[in-house]
Amino acid sequence: MNKIEIIARRILGWKLNRWDRWYDFEKEQFIPVSEFQPEENIEHAMLIVERLKELGFSYKTNGTSGACFGDVCETGETLAQAITNAAYSVADNSSIDEGWL
């Protein structure tokens, strides 16, 4: 799985319906894989922020190239990349109990 797949599955709770689209059970809608680009689209990155907040993570940013969820901080060329990188670090951290994801 790549970074975006891990975030979509473990944080957003989406399931891969076909090779080219996700299914969001909460909103009962399909999301084409090609249209979910959180590293490039700040609106998509903010969906991740909101979901992690719902899961109890605090969020902070320096406003341009750094983002933190709790104690996990990452950087990127843009804020959207930093959010995606930090979310991936949270989702892929093997020390975290995956029961909450």
Side-chain angles (χ1 to χ4, degrees), residues 6-99:
I6 288 171
I7 291 169
R9 288 175 190 251
R10 295 184 183 171
I11 294 176
L12 297 174
W14 297 351
K15 304 295 181 209
L16 198 58
N17 177 262
R18 289 190 333 205
W19 65 272
D20 65 342
R21 69 180 181 195
W22 295 103
Y23 185 69
D24 180 346
F25 285 93
E26 290 180 8
K27 295 180 182 173
E28 299 180 340
Q29 66 181 18
F30 293 100
I31 300 102
V33 168
S34 62
E35 291 182 19
F36 181 61
Q37 302 294 323
E39 289 183 301
E40 299 167 16
N41 185 318
I42 192 66
E43 290 178 19
H44 296 175
M46 293 308 292
L47 290 174
I48 298 167
V49 170
E50 292 307 315
R51 180 65 176 157
L52 284 170
K53 284 180 170 180
E54 289 172 7
L55 294 170
F57 284 86
S58 62
Y59 167 69
K60 64 182 176 179
T61 179
N62 70 5
T64 58
S65 62
C68 298
F69 295 108
D71 294 336
V72 177
C73 297
E74 295 290 344
T75 60
E77 291 182 25
T78 65
L79 181 56
Q81 282 183 349
I83 290 168
T84 304
N85 290 340
Y88 174 72
S89 292
V90 167
D92 201 46
N93 186 340
S94 60
S95 67
I96 294 176
D97 176 16
E98 291 193 22

